Amino acid sequence: MSRIVSAIVNNHPGVLNRITGMFLRKNFNIQSITVGTTEVDGLSRMTFVIGTDDSRVMEQVTKQLHKQIDVIKVNDITDQPIVARELVLIKVFVPPAQRAEVNNLIHPFRASIIDVGRESITVEATGKSEKIEALIALLRPYGIQELARTGLTAFTRDQSSVSEGLRVSKNSTLVI
């Protein structure tokens, strides 16, 4: 099992290098890492997916992150209600005669074709990692030429939306 850690850090040169260096020195395995600016100038959010289910390892990860000068806040959000997405770009070998077939195939995934070449198309999709894996598996028989995944980015849900979702699901009207 993997754990998801979200950290708010100062947006300064070298911060990413220092934090990933800490992961290297402590021998923590990062499955994916995403970094981007936040709503506050000068701060970035890092989302780590760490390949462990060991609570002692996770405790060490959070303690080591807290020791970093540029780290403002650290949360293990794995067991919390979260919104999480991943982006993938997939260039697939598709001759013009099969493009309609592939377009119908990707439609249920809410994926879109963002580039077309003579013998290939590029598909863009966002969603949970399981959805991305399923889309890749469906496109693999056509011949994937290139593939780029961003890794998971996530943050916790607003508690009021979680409470509303639970209330509505008790009435069997809508489950979030």
Side-chain angles (χ1 to χ4, degrees), residues 4-65:
I4 303 168
V5 176
S6 177
I8 302 297
V9 301
N10 288 322
N11 187 358
H12 295 180
V15 172
L16 178 61
N17 189 33
R18 284 191 290 278
I19 290 175
T20 56
M22 179 276 299
F23 274 87
L24 174 66
R25 286 190 304 280
K26 299 296 181 183
N27 201 28
F28 300 140
N29 184 28
I30 300 173
Q31 291 181 337
S32 75
I33 181 171
T34 58
V35 183
T37 57
T38 66
E39 70 283 0
V40 179
D41 285 341
L43 296 180
S44 292
R45 177 183 307 276
M46 294 183 165
T47 306
F48 305 94
V49 177
I50 301 168
T52 186
D53 199 24
D54 189 339
S55 61
R56 290 176 299 168
V57 170
M58 285 310 302
E59 183 179 338
Q60 284 300 310
V61 166
T62 55
K63 283 182 178 177
Q64 293 298 320
L65 283 170

Side-chain angles (χ1 to χ4, degrees), residues 156-176:
T156 57
R157 286 182 166 268
D158 183 0
Q159 287 300 317
S160 62
S161 67
V162 173
S163 300
E164 182 64 21
L166 292 174
R167 186 185 64 75
V168 172
S169 69
K170 286 180 182 175
N171 294 332
S172 301
T173 305
L174 174 67
V175 177
I176 296 176

Side-chain angles (χ1 to χ4, degrees), residues 109-136:
F109 292 87
R110 296 183 189 164
S112 57
I113 296 172
I114 60 169
D115 190 39
V116 177
R118 283 187 177 186
E119 297 295 326
S120 68
I121 61 170
T122 300
V123 176
E124 172 193 56
T126 58
K128 295 180 179 179
S129 297
E130 298 83 17
K131 172 184 165 182
I132 301 298
E133 291 290 338
L135 179 62
I136 292 169

